[in-house]
Amino acid sequence: MRGYEAVYRQSIEAPEEFWREAARGVDWDVAPERIRDDGRWFPGGRLNTCHNAVDRHVAAGRGDQDALIYDSPVTGSARRYTYRELLDLVARTAGMLRGLGVGAGDTVVIYMPMVPEAVIAMLACARLGAVHSVVFGGFAAGELAVRIDHARPKVVLSASCGIEPARLIAYKPLLDAALEQASHRPAHCVILQREQCRADLTEGRDLDWADAVRDAEPAGCVSVAATDPLYVLYTSGTTGTPKGVVRDNGGHAVALHWSMAHVYGAAPGEVFWAASDVGWVVGHSYIVYGPLLAGCTTVLYEGKPVGTPDPGAFWRVVSTYGVRTLFTAPTAFRAIKKEDPSGSFMKNWDLSGLRYLFLAGERLDPDTYHWASDLLGIPVIDHWWQTETGWPIAANCVGIERLPLKPGSPTKPVPGWDVRILDGEGNECPPGVEGAVTVRLPLPPGSLPTLYRDDDRFTESYLSRYPGHYLTGDGGYVDDDGYLFVMGRVDDVINVAGHRLSTGAIEEVVSAHPDVAECAVIGMADELKGQLPVGFVVLKAGSPRDPADIERELVALVRERIGPVAAFRRAVVVTRLPKTRSGKILRRTMRDIAAGSAYAVPSTIEDPAALTEIAEAVED
Ligand code: COA
Ligand code: AMP
């Protein structure tokens, strides 16, 4: 078997040959003759992603294997679905959507908690060639409205409620509020009624999910072009308007299928668990599509790492279902470590089947790395990727060759990704020198071909800074052994408990407060969540308001407009913001102060005392 270096080299030097071979891992209605053309992968190829994720496994004799295991400590229930059962449910749900007029190319917004119907809905859209857009449940009505207006769905699929450990989240009132705010009108909303809370349905527009599916005729798979979109997933950019990351059908199926074996070392029939949420890219790629494309059993977990009911929750799931590969965000492990530092809850469970722990979504701090690997005694693998890329850019590809691990590094670029560290002038940085992490074009299959209805923003955001390269937005360096170290975002995107947020979006909300003259929102280092947003606000001259009241109002406003997931809890009133003499807020310096890193006082600063004030507020 070839080692990492040989496989990597081939993927960069002969990408078409490399991906032609990988494309044999999926079923095509029309096999692609051309591998890459005009910036798109597999033009001319035709396939159906749902067929590849479900039908073909039934046809190949996996019908009785579990496809999906739903485990829900928040409802005290669990259920297994074989591939055959999943096929039946997906086909009927697709039939229901077709009956509502959804066809290839139409969009469907899915706003749902972590229930099997969310996965079934995604696959049902894929079956019809319809484009799904899943919106994370922790977003507020306003964020949902923005996505509905941009995606213009024919149908919205939702549920009566989501269940957080401390409270029920009634989704339907949020959806109704979003539809009131949005100018686009979907023809129908289909609502899954959960027993914990029933939703009122609007006559004529809303349908009860169970009734609608019961009466539906199963629908077959619609053949689509490899370059047709499978889904749009909105993610935070540097402004308040989210970016609609597009994923195509062909490149995505090929790349994800390839990644399951080569990055994760997962074989068909194995149990693979990504403890994330279907609202994020990790959920799309490694709860739903990756494991199912590979014929694995995937686990859908409606719970938390702690508090549902205790820090042994992950060990229970791993042991009960024989999980071979666990994937989550470092913050989940920090939460477990905080409540159970000695790992005593682990001792109640047989974890001998667990082979790898993969972590991503934010930087894996060496402390958490050591804690997890000492306790579990298995490789703990940091890997780095983004919503845009859809699958890992850098990882220890255990399915090719297990390389030695270095704490703090996601190891080396994954085959297909030509990672280059560039300085401000676009020259490559020597080993050890930090710069912008970029990927030399072409990007491999599975990565975003564009932003939904916004080709210009795609080019401007990702391709214009360094011609011929994709800009990741992360800073980092490569060491003498070729190991990549990703140090964090160099833009206004922050990562809160593995959730990606835009400080720009929070600033838009904070600035809308009538007493706020100007503000800057910065990600502050946080031991548990990695980062937390903190607002620094300057009040309008003469505002008589008490800063504590303003803070309370701003916290409530962000929660109401963006959602609880923003975890915005601090807004510090300051007398002025640090600025350059030309009036630009010194965000970068503020970010360094907030991150606890060394910072230099820029020579262009207008009033150095403004920086001191921020540093003192951060100290507090
Ligand atoms: N629907 C509605 N509300 C949600 C939600 C959802 N799907 N997910 C989170 N929220 C709410 C939480 O209830 C919380 O509300 P609160 O302010 O009333 O307490 C708020 O959003 C913030 O959530 P979170 O940042 O997740 O904090 P937490 O204290 O609830 O949990 C962790 C902390 C570490 C346990 C949790 O963040 C976690 O499990 N993270 C794993 C990360 C992950 O899955 N990342 C995905 C990429 S891999
Ligand atoms: P998202 O699009 O939500 O997956 O967030 C992507 C961003 O999360 C990246 O640009 C990084 O800033 C950060 N990130 C994800 N994985 C890692 C990792 N393994 N190490 C460091 N940062 C990471």
Side-chain angles (χ1 to χ4, degrees):
M1 225 174 93
R2 291 185 307 159
Y4 164 79
E5 290 300 338
V7 177
Y8 182 73
R9 208 169 333 107
Q10 191 216 354
S11 77
I12 302 301
E13 287 168 6
E16 298 201 3
E17 199 179 295
F18 185 90
W19 291 111
R20 183 188 299 280
E21 182 57 34
R24 294 193 219 286
V26 305
D27 282 3
W28 297 88
D29 300 324
V30 178
E33 277 171 26
R34 281 169 303 144
I35 298 305
R36 196 165 179 284
D37 214 352
D38 266 350
R40 308 296 298 256
W41 288 97
F42 311 116
R46 296 191 73 84
L47 78 168
N48 182 280
T49 298
C50 177
H51 163 83
N52 275 284
V54 186
D55 302 50
R56 70 164 170 162
H57 301 310
V58 177
R62 291 192 181 277
D64 296 325
Q65 179 197 310
D66 287 335
L68 176 72
I69 297 173
Y70 166 60
D71 185 280
S72 170
V74 292
T75 59
S77 63
R79 198 187 147 181
R80 292 167 186 263
Y81 298 79
T82 63
Y83 269 101
R84 198 185 316 285
E85 286 168 313
L86 186 64
L87 172 56
D88 173 56
L89 288 164
V90 169
R92 282 196 288 128
T93 306
M96 178 262 284
L97 287 171
R98 195 173 52 191
L100 297 175
V102 175
D106 290 330
T107 50
V108 173
V109 161
I110 301 176
Y111 181 60
M112 296 190 70
M114 287 282 286
V115 291
E117 287 78 2
V119 177
I120 291 166
M122 291 164 76
L123 293 165
C125 290
R127 195 169 187 81
L128 297 177
V131 181
H132 61 68
S133 188
V134 182
V135 179
F136 177 63
F139 281 123
E143 292 288 318
L144 178 58
V146 168
R147 286 156 174 79
I148 287 175
D149 269 342
H150 196 267
R152 298 186 214 144
K154 214 167 218 178
V155 169
V156 175
L157 300 174
S158 189
S160 55
C161 64
I163 303 162
E164 286 294 288
R167 66 205 155 95
L168 279 187
I169 319 269
Y171 274 39
K172 187 57 185 2
L174 291 170
L175 173 59
D176 287 340
L179 290 175
E180 245 166 60
Q181 290 170 37
S183 42
H184 174 79
R185 296 268 159 272
H188 293 285
C189 299
V190 185
I191 311 295
L192 179 76
Q193 296 281 19
R194 304 187 77 186
E195 64 183 44
Q196 291 77 10
C197 139
R198 292 191 71 80
D200 294 332
L201 302 185
T202 305
E203 186 80 37
R205 186 195 71 188
D206 300 345
L207 291 124
D208 179 299
W209 187 301
D211 295 343
V213 170
R214 195 179 309 114
D215 302 336
E217 277 291 306
C221 292
V222 173
S223 185
V224 298
T227 50
D228 281 343
L230 169 68
Y231 69 76
V232 176
L233 177 57
Y234 289 91
T235 190
S236 302
T238 52
T239 66
T241 315
K243 292 168 164 170
V245 168
V246 174
R247 198 79 61 210
D248 63 10
N249 275 276
H252 172 258
V254 171
L256 258 65
H257 179 265
W258 185 90
S259 74
M260 287 299 293
H262 297 89
V263 177
Y264 298 98
E270 289 184 4
V271 182
F272 189 96
W273 178 26
S276 174
D277 189 290
V278 289
W280 305 115
V281 70
V282 174
H284 279 61
S285 293
Y286 294 110
I287 295 175
V288 185
Y289 290 110
L292 297 178
L293 284 164
C296 291
T297 298
T298 188
V299 179
L300 182 78
Y301 174 70
E302 190 182 25
K304 303 271 171 179
V306 294
T308 55
D310 57 42
F314 274 24
W315 319 133
R316 175 186 63 77
V317 173
V318 167
S319 166
T320 306
Y321 304 115
V323 172
R324 291 285 279 161
T325 313
L326 170 60
F327 175 172
T328 191
T331 195
F333 267 72
R334 287 196 297 270
I336 298 171
K337 176 176 157 218
K338 191 169 163 205
E339 290 201 7
D340 181 24
S342 66
S344 59
F345 281 83
M346 213 177 256
K347 307 203 170 75
N348 306 332
W349 302 102
D350 174 10
L351 304 179
S352 58
L354 187 64
R355 185 181 34 178
Y356 298 119
L357 168 63
F358 281 87
L359 297 170
E362 53 178 331
R363 182 157 189 269
L364 172 59
D365 52 288
D367 267 5
T368 308
Y369 165 78
H370 287 298
W371 183 79
S373 54
D374 291 351
L375 273 181
L376 286 168
I378 56 169
V380 172
I381 299 172
D382 180 13
H383 63 324
W384 168 64
W385 51 300
Q386 321 181 298
T387 305
E388 288 86 342
T389 67
W391 59 290
I393 312 168
N396 203 316
C397 295
V398 296
I400 300 174
E401 177 189 358
R402 231 177 83 194
L403 299 173
L405 291 164
K406 288 195 191 191
S409 165
T411 315
K412 295 190 180 188
V414 170
W417 300 95
D418 190 355
V419 174
R420 306 288 172 119
I421 310 291
L422 302 182
D423 67 16
E425 274 73 56
N427 302 313
E428 254 183 78
C429 296
V433 174
E434 214 173 307
V437 188
T438 69
V439 182
R440 209 156 116 164
L441 302 180
L443 294 177
S447 49
L448 81 172
T450 189
L451 290 175
Y452 195 50
R453 296 211 188 98
D454 213 342
D455 293 338
D456 290 348
R457 190 174 180 197
F458 170 67
T459 308
E460 185 196 310
S461 307
Y462 303 109
L463 306 181
S464 63
R465 176 68 185 84
Y466 295 107
H469 297 77
Y470 164 82
L471 184 73
T472 66
D474 281 301
Y477 65 93
V478 171
D479 75 3
D480 289 328
D481 302 324
Y483 278 60
L484 179 68
F485 287 76
V486 179
M487 305 312 288
R489 299 288 303 199
V490 291
D491 55 15
D492 295 323
V493 168
I494 58 171
N495 226 297
V496 180
H499 308 318
R500 174 165 161 180
L501 297 167
S502 154
T503 54
I506 302 176
E507 279 174 14
E508 279 181 22
V509 176
V510 171
S511 323
H513 188 286
D515 287 289
V516 170
E518 58 178 351
C519 73
V521 174
I522 307 290
M524 276 242 315
D526 179 79
E527 238 175 57
L528 175 65
K529 296 194 178 184
Q531 281 184 302
L532 274 180
V534 175
F536 294 95
V537 299
V538 178
L539 298 186
K540 285 186 181 154
S543 167
R545 306 285 313 281
D546 178 347
D549 288 340
I550 300 273
E551 180 171 45
R552 249 191 313 278
E553 288 164 15
L554 289 175
V555 167
L557 203 61
V558 172
R559 191 176 174 93
E560 181 204 313
R561 301 263 175 94
I562 295 185
V565 70
F568 182 76
R569 302 217 164 85
R570 292 299 325 268
V572 184
V573 173
V574 291
T575 50
R576 57 221 182 287
L577 293 173
K579 290 187 182 167
T580 60
R581 281 188 284 276
S582 59
K584 256 186 91 188
I585 297 175
L586 287 162
R587 284 168 204 284
R588 194 182 192 137
T589 318
M590 289 179 77
R591 274 206 301 268
D592 289 343
I593 295 177
S597 327
Y599 69 96
V601 178
S603 57
T604 50
I605 193 164
E606 187 190 22
D607 176 6
L611 264 190
T612 317
E613 192 180 352
I614 300 293
E616 282 168 5
V618 166
E619 278 283 285
D620 284 353

